[in-house]
Amino acid sequence: MPQVRVRFAPSPTGFFHIGSARTALFNWLYARHNGGVFILRVEDTDQTRNSDEFLRLIYDSLRWLGLDWDEGPGKGGDFGPYRQSERASVYKEYLERLKASGRTYEKDGALYFRISGEPQVIEDAIRGRVERTEEKDFVIVRSDGNPVFHFVNVVDDIAMKVTHVIRGEDHLSNTSKHTELFKAFGAPLPTYAHIPLILKQNGPGKMSKRDQGALVEEYQKRGFLPEALVNFLCLLGWSPKDDREKLPLAEIVRLFDLPGVNQSNARFDEKKLAHMNMVYLHEMDPGKCFSFARDYLKSRNYFAGAEPEEAYLREVIALCQPKVRAVEDLPGFIGYFFSDEYAIDPKAREKVFSKGDPKARLGELLAALPQADFSSDTTLEALIQGLAAQHAAGTGDYIHPARLALSGTAVGPSFYGLLRVLGRERVERRIARFLATA
Ligand code: GLU
């Protein structure tokens, strides 16, 4: 079998959305699974609708998702250039060939392709046999001199020796035009694989760029983990045929194949994506999580120039990593680690003061702090247990008031971890202040 060559062929005419990302991913997976070549080809012939900003977004999003291309802009390759706007001479040459074969004619300033009118049959790798007959000749060069999508798309697939065309089902209806052109050039047909649509979360219809949760850039900005988004995108139309949902990318590459792609449409489910993201976050290596979270917080200007010490931030992130659902929850979750100016939640306060003698317990804890061993969660747990035994109280009688005094809230990371990470000085200062003011 000749080497697999697939291409992702986006047009930089809009934001990079989930559907495009999935098409890119399925092409990338197919190339990696087969030891093939993944080409990025920019279909930017529509000068009125292209923008450099959208193009940059395509590059950024692909890089962020880890979908590295083997040939394409910035990478080179034997079949470049890889932007259609730079390939005018190639189109001219192919156009001459088509003209010479007598399959073109001019009408009203436009150049038409004369169809064969024969039934066009493809064996789609996902949908099976699809037959369609073109009934009308179609324009290949507009009256303004610009070649149309069908023409440049096919010419490039021929010139770039593309073996498999994996694209959205919305292009299925174009395929008979494309196969007519391939045959007119005497070129072998590629294998087609049309991926089913992504349906919007609620209600009927295809997900569009305007739908909530449709833009890849949003997830990047919100601190989603690209690995989680990639895993989620794989499952939009493909599955490993067992019940697994979270799969390492290497495993997906090993298992991915086109016949495994469903024929039915996939429904976008933002909750499922959020859950996948959480699972990835909780399982992430703490060192990686630290860098990722720090970059996220920096991108939000969270510390406003007053950055905490790295070792402290590292401990805070490690402590909170298992407790937040997403990196975007961190800012609201970690504030009190960096400032003494946190508000005391009135509901939590009411609850703490509704029973027992929280001030007495905090007084006992404060008195024990100078001798306390802050080196581990276990030693701190022993401290609280010792106090509880000594004063015939429960550990909760210390934990709840202390958490309130130290953070202003009733929710947060593990209590002993909280003591350890805040450290003796902060803990002493905050409890003393709370006792003086509460
Ligand atoms: N530029 C087309 C698109 O963005 C590519 C179609 C194809 O993959 O053949 O939909």
Side-chain angles (χ1 to χ4, degrees), residues 118-186:
E118 283 160 14
Q120 301 297 307
V121 181
I122 57 164
E123 291 298 333
D124 191 284
I126 296 170
R127 309 195 55 90
R129 186 187 154 94
V130 181
E131 183 179 325
R132 194 184 147 99
T133 308
E134 281 301 310
E135 283 165 5
K136 281 205 316 235
D137 296 346
F138 57 91
V139 174
I140 51 173
V141 181
R142 285 195 209 90
S143 49
D144 63 6
N146 282 319
V148 306
F149 159 71
H150 304 297
F151 180 76
V152 294
N153 183 268
V154 168
V155 165
D156 283 347
D157 283 343
I158 296 171
M160 295 179 180
K161 298 197 171 12
V162 169
T163 58
H164 295 70
V165 170
I166 305 170
R167 61 186 175 188
E169 201 182 79
D170 45 333
H171 285 292
L172 188 58
S173 58
N174 293 326
T175 305
S176 44
K177 286 193 180 67
H178 296 183
T179 54
E180 282 266 9
L181 282 167
F182 271 99
K183 290 174 191 167
F185 281 115

Side-chain angles (χ1 to χ4, degrees), residues 87-97 151:
R87 295 176 62 78
S89 60
V90 178
Y91 305 137
K92 201 163 162 252
E93 182 196 321
Y94 274 78
L95 196 59
E96 292 312 320
R97 275 170 60 183
F151 180 76

